[in-house]
Amino acid sequence: MDVNESGPQRLKEEIAGHYRRIIALLGENVEREGLLKTPERVAGVMQFMLQGYGQDPEAVLAAAMFREEDYRQMVIVKDIDFYSLCEHHLLPFFGKVHVAYIPRKYITGLSKIPRVVDIFARRLQIQERLTLQIKECIQKTLDPLGVMVVVEAQHMCMQMRGVEKQNSLTTTSDFTGFFQQAKTREEFMNLIKK
């Protein structure tokens, strides 16, 4: 169903109907007081958690692009909190994203980098793809001399089921341009650890 055809409320009602059926299939009484509004609440949460599908991250960056005079050093936005849903189990994974780019001609408003992170995180995801998509969006839109993205996350699918490892942390990274030089990558890594 297309959201534009039915509207967000109609979509929420349809999603809630599916959750009502799932709850019943699992053996619960969907008419029990504590569960009466649960399907609607879960539908609202899912619409919020997956709102990134209706947003254009490149447009967000492009809306705040500025020409900069000869600034060729790293621009770093670190410790960007994010929450996403693992596409394999629909369980949350969450953590921090660290982004750096070296401008060629353009810079962007600093708040736009976290917005790009949120747009990609608010989709069914895997951490590796999230890392790649953030990097590619910044590279394509700003055309910098290089981009590097590091994502550190905890995955509930590893912590509350499966191997049940409570303190595990997964780190992914991707980079382009000047960040292919080990010295530049090391500088970035040192700066985000401080």
Side-chain angles (χ1 to χ4, degrees):
M1 174 187 306
D2 186 355
V3 175
N4 295 327
E5 290 176 14
S6 63
Q9 185 56 39
R10 175 69 183 114
L11 180 61
K12 183 177 183 179
E13 290 169 11
E14 187 166 339
I15 294 169
H18 290 288
Y19 276 107
R20 191 170 287 105
R21 176 83 174 121
I22 290 168
I23 291 168
L25 285 170
L26 292 171
E28 258 292 1
N29 175 6
V30 294
E31 300 303 319
R32 186 165 58 80
E33 182 182 359
L35 291 176
L36 280 175
K37 295 188 177 185
T38 297
E40 288 78 14
R41 285 192 289 263
V42 175
V45 167
M46 293 304 282
Q47 284 179 296
F48 175 77
M49 289 296 295
L50 299 174
Q51 66 184 300
Y53 289 114
Q55 300 171 327
D56 181 352
E58 291 177 21
V60 166
L61 281 180
M65 281 176 51
F66 307 100
R67 270 200 186 279
E68 185 59 29
E69 297 180 27
D70 283 339
Y71 189 78
R72 300 287 184 272
Q73 302 302 314
M74 266 185 241
V75 176
I76 300 173
V77 183
K78 70 178 193 170
D79 296 330
I80 303 166
D81 292 320
F82 80 93
Y83 300 89
S84 193
L85 285 177
C86 164
E87 69 180 32
H88 300 141
H89 303 99
L90 294 186
L91 288 172
F93 69 98
F94 57 92
K96 296 197 179 293
V97 177
H98 315 286
V99 177
Y101 71 97
I102 302 172
R104 182 189 315 265
K105 293 180 187 175
Y106 298 101
I107 60 169
T108 190
L110 294 177
S111 68
K112 303 309 177 194
I113 302 291
R115 286 196 60 206
V116 166
V117 169
D118 284 344
I119 290 170
F120 286 120
R122 298 290 187 196
R123 299 174 181 187
L124 295 177
Q125 274 293 8
I126 60 172
Q127 184 173 334
E128 297 87 343
R129 183 186 317 118
L130 176 63
T131 307
L132 176 69
Q133 288 175 329
I134 295 166
K135 179 210 70 176
E136 287 180 342
C137 177
I138 295 168
Q139 185 64 51
K140 180 179 178 186
T141 308
L142 299 180
D143 188 32
L145 296 170
V147 177
M148 185 160 178
V149 177
V150 173
V151 179
E152 301 171 313
Q154 296 179 54
H155 293 254
M156 296 309 290
C157 58
M158 285 179 58
Q159 293 180 346
M160 63 186 287
R161 58 158 301 282
V163 297
E164 297 184 53
K165 298 302 175 201
Q166 302 307 308
N167 297 311
S168 63
L169 186 69
T170 303
T171 303
T172 52
S173 67
D174 204 351
F175 47 86
T176 65
F178 282 12
F179 288 98
Q180 293 175 355
Q181 301 168 10
K183 183 178 177 184
T184 308
R185 282 196 312 277
E186 287 171 22
E187 179 184 351
F188 172 62
M189 295 305 288
N190 287 335
L191 288 169
I192 66 172
K193 295 300 176 194
K194 290 184 179 179

